[in-house]
Each structure stands twice: as structure tokens, then as C-alpha cells.
Amino acid sequence: MSESSSSSPTEEIVRLIKRLSAYVTFKMSSLLSTSLRNLDSRSVGAIAGLAIAVIFTWRALRTTGEPQRRQPKPRMQPPETSHSNLPSNPADEDNAVQDVVDHFFQPVKPTLGQIVRQKLSEGRKVTCRLLGVILEESSPEELQKQATVRSSVLEVLLEITKYSDLYLMERVVDDESEAKVLQALETAGVFTSGGLVKDKVLFCSTEMGRTSFVRQLEPDWHIDTNPEISTQLARFIKYQLHVSETKPERTAPNVFCSQSIEQFFGSA
């Protein structure tokens, strides 16, 4: 069987184009070697255009005539391969962009002063007992020996005095205990760094005396550790904070509970 009869039409066209391309190449080489001046610009342009057409046609037929190669399957990376060699994942890029956006648009954390002002609901007057709240000691008898200001409460006290008129009060058994308390507050810097003055530190000899002080001052907030006093004052005081390690079984709706005033205002 002859070669022409056994070849497909596509192969015949390819051979024809090859011959035509060879002829054009030979012809152009001969003409250029003889003299370019013998040809005008139209002739040279026509031959160049024909050559370009032949080349593009040849490439098109070559692409369609060749069988499509199978794409190799992607090889799995071994577990020990470094992540830096892996191609970037669009999902990871999206997450990185989102992290940047979240970083710049994250909510601004409020300052302690803003928290104190918000918690107090713009309360302009606050009364607070000393034992178990401002002082480390928890009974009047301990004050006969010493008085120690809790260092963690100082920052909160300073912020309260910026926005509210603060009064401190406590029951003591003698004048020496009063002196120890005032000296401890002064040493801690309560009278110098804040708006508190010694005249706003009140002393009494009974628990009822502290209740009387609170009712006379009519504060927006009262802070205490005695649940009985909190119950008695619930009808007269707008808000109260009961400071205790354990929450009382029953409290009025306007009485809040916390282990410390630092914890209540979020500085602990």
C-alpha cells in the first residue's frame, strides 16, 4: 500500500505545509542574497506575510493533530515536607487578611476610669466601709494592733474619687485605732493622689452608727461587707455593693455582690 493512501488527510496537509514552508524559506533566502533592492516594499511584505501565515497554520495543525497528553497526577507530599515548600492556600491567605482587618478594627478596651464611671452609673456620691474592703483587717479588734491598706484597691479608689464624692467609714473601739487607720491611708497616698481628705473618713462605735452615717449622707452607692446593713439600707440607697467571699442567699435587686471592689470594677 502506498504512503499517500495509508496517510490520513491531516498528515497530507501537514506535509504540504512543510513543503510550502521550505519553498518560501528558500525563495526568501535567494531573493535576499541576490539583492533586496530588486524588490519593492510590497513584494517583501507579501512574502513575509505568507511566511507568517504558514508558520501559524503549521502550529495550529500541530496542536490539533497531536494526541492530548495525560496530565500527571499530583504527588502527595511526605509528612516531613516543610510547609514553606507547599503552594499557598487561598483560604489561608483569606484568613491572614481577616486577621489583619480584625487587628485594626478590634474594639478598643475601655480604661479603668471608664469602667468605674459606667459601673457607678454616674453616681456622684459613694460611701464605703474600711474593714474587709479597703483594709486587710476584718475586725475592729485587729485595728487596735495595726491597719494595712490593700495595695490592689488604690487604683480603684483613685478612679472613684475622680468621678464621685467618696466617704470612708468604720467602727472602731478606741482613738488609737482611728489614728492607725488615718496613718495607714496617708502612708498609702490616698490623701495626696486622690480627691479624698481626712474629714471624709468617719468613725463610729457601733454598726448602727455606720448605718446612720449612710442614711444621712444619702449616697448613690454604698459598699459594705455586712449583709444585715445591706438589707436595712436597700430601701433607702439606690445601689449597693456587698463585698464577701460568699454570696448571700437573698439580696435585694439593687444590691450587687462581688469578692472585692477590684473584681467588681474589673481591675483584679
Side-chain angles (χ1 to χ4, degrees), residues 125-135 153 157 160 165-170 200-202 210 214 217 219 221-225 241 243 261:
K125 185 181 292 186
V126 178
T127 56
C128 178
R129 82 167 302 180
L130 286 161
L131 288 172
V133 181
I134 309 300
L135 302 177
V153 82
L157 279 183
I160 292 177
D165 191 15
L166 178 63
Y167 290 83
L168 302 179
M169 55 190 64
E170 192 49 66
K200 293 182 179 180
V201 182
L202 310 176
R210 188 164 77 253
V214 175
L217 291 170
W221 278 83
H222 176 64
I223 305 172
D224 212 295
T225 60
L241 174 60
V243 177
I261 60 173

Side-chain angles (χ1 to χ4, degrees), residues 128 130 134-135 147 149 153-155 157-159 161-162 165-169 177-203:
C128 178
L130 286 161
I134 309 300
L135 302 177
V149 177
V153 82
L154 291 175
E155 190 176 5
L157 279 183
L158 177 61
E159 295 299 334
T161 56
K162 287 181 180 179
D165 191 15
L166 178 63
Y167 290 83
L168 302 179
M169 55 190 64
S177 298
E178 289 186 24
K180 286 183 175 63
V181 171
L182 291 174
Q183 183 61 45
L185 292 173
E186 185 173 8
T187 302
V190 174
F191 300 129
T192 57
S193 59
L196 187 66
V197 295
K198 291 183 179 181
D199 291 341
K200 293 182 179 180
V201 182
L202 310 176
F203 297 97

Side-chain angles (χ1 to χ4, degrees), residues 32-244:
L32 289 172
S33 61
T34 302
S35 176
L36 287 175
R37 288 176 295 179
N38 295 332
L39 295 174
D40 56 12
S41 59
R42 293 182 179 180
S43 300
V44 175
I47 295 175
L50 179 60
I52 293 173
V54 169
I55 292 171
F56 275 97
T57 305
W58 159 246
R59 288 184 176 180
L61 290 173
R62 183 181 177 185
T63 303
T64 56
E66 290 182 353
Q68 188 176 8
R69 297 181 180 178
R70 294 181 60 188
Q71 295 293 332
K73 294 183 179 180
R75 299 179 62 184
M76 297 296 293
Q77 291 286 352
E80 63 273 7
T81 301
S82 173
H83 290 288
S84 61
N85 295 330
L86 296 176
S88 60
N89 189 346
D92 295 337
E93 295 178 359
D94 292 342
N95 292 335
V97 173
Q98 187 63 42
D99 291 341
V100 174
V101 173
D102 292 341
H103 174 74
F104 283 100
F105 292 95
Q106 61 183 345
V108 179
K109 185 179 180 180
T111 63
L112 178 59
Q114 292 172 334
I115 296 175
V116 169
R117 192 169 184 174
Q118 180 182 10
K119 287 276 191 176
L120 292 179
S121 301
E122 304 296 333
R124 303 309 301 170
K125 185 181 292 186
V126 178
T127 56
C128 178
R129 82 167 302 180
L130 286 161
L131 288 172
V133 181
I134 309 300
L135 302 177
E136 296 281 359
E137 291 74 25
S138 57
S139 67
E141 289 72 26
E142 292 181 70
L143 293 179
Q144 292 181 288
K145 300 178 181 179
Q146 64 181 12
T148 309
V149 177
R150 301 173 61 240
S151 58
S152 59
V153 82
L154 291 175
E155 190 176 5
V156 175
L157 279 183
L158 177 61
E159 295 299 334
I160 292 177
T161 56
K162 287 181 180 179
Y163 303 107
S164 303
D165 191 15
L166 178 63
Y167 290 83
L168 302 179
M169 55 190 64
E170 192 49 66
R171 176 171 71 92
V172 293
V173 295
D174 52 33
D175 294 340
E176 288 75 11
S177 298
E178 289 186 24
K180 286 183 175 63
V181 171
L182 291 174
Q183 183 61 45
L185 292 173
E186 185 173 8
T187 302
V190 174
F191 300 129
T192 57
S193 59
L196 187 66
V197 295
K198 291 183 179 181
D199 291 341
K200 293 182 179 180
V201 182
L202 310 176
F203 297 97
C204 57
S205 58
T206 63
E207 292 290 281
M208 288 299 298
R210 188 164 77 253
T211 304
S212 178
F213 280 155
V214 175
R215 292 194 59 180
Q216 290 177 23
L217 291 170
E218 297 181 344
D220 299 296
W221 278 83
H222 176 64
I223 305 172
D224 212 295
T225 60
N226 190 328
E228 295 181 2
I229 290 182
S230 298
T231 302
Q232 294 172 10
L233 293 174
R235 294 182 301 166
F236 308 102
I237 307 302
K238 188 175 182 180
Y239 300 109
Q240 289 190 85
L241 174 60
H242 177 73
V243 177
S244 176

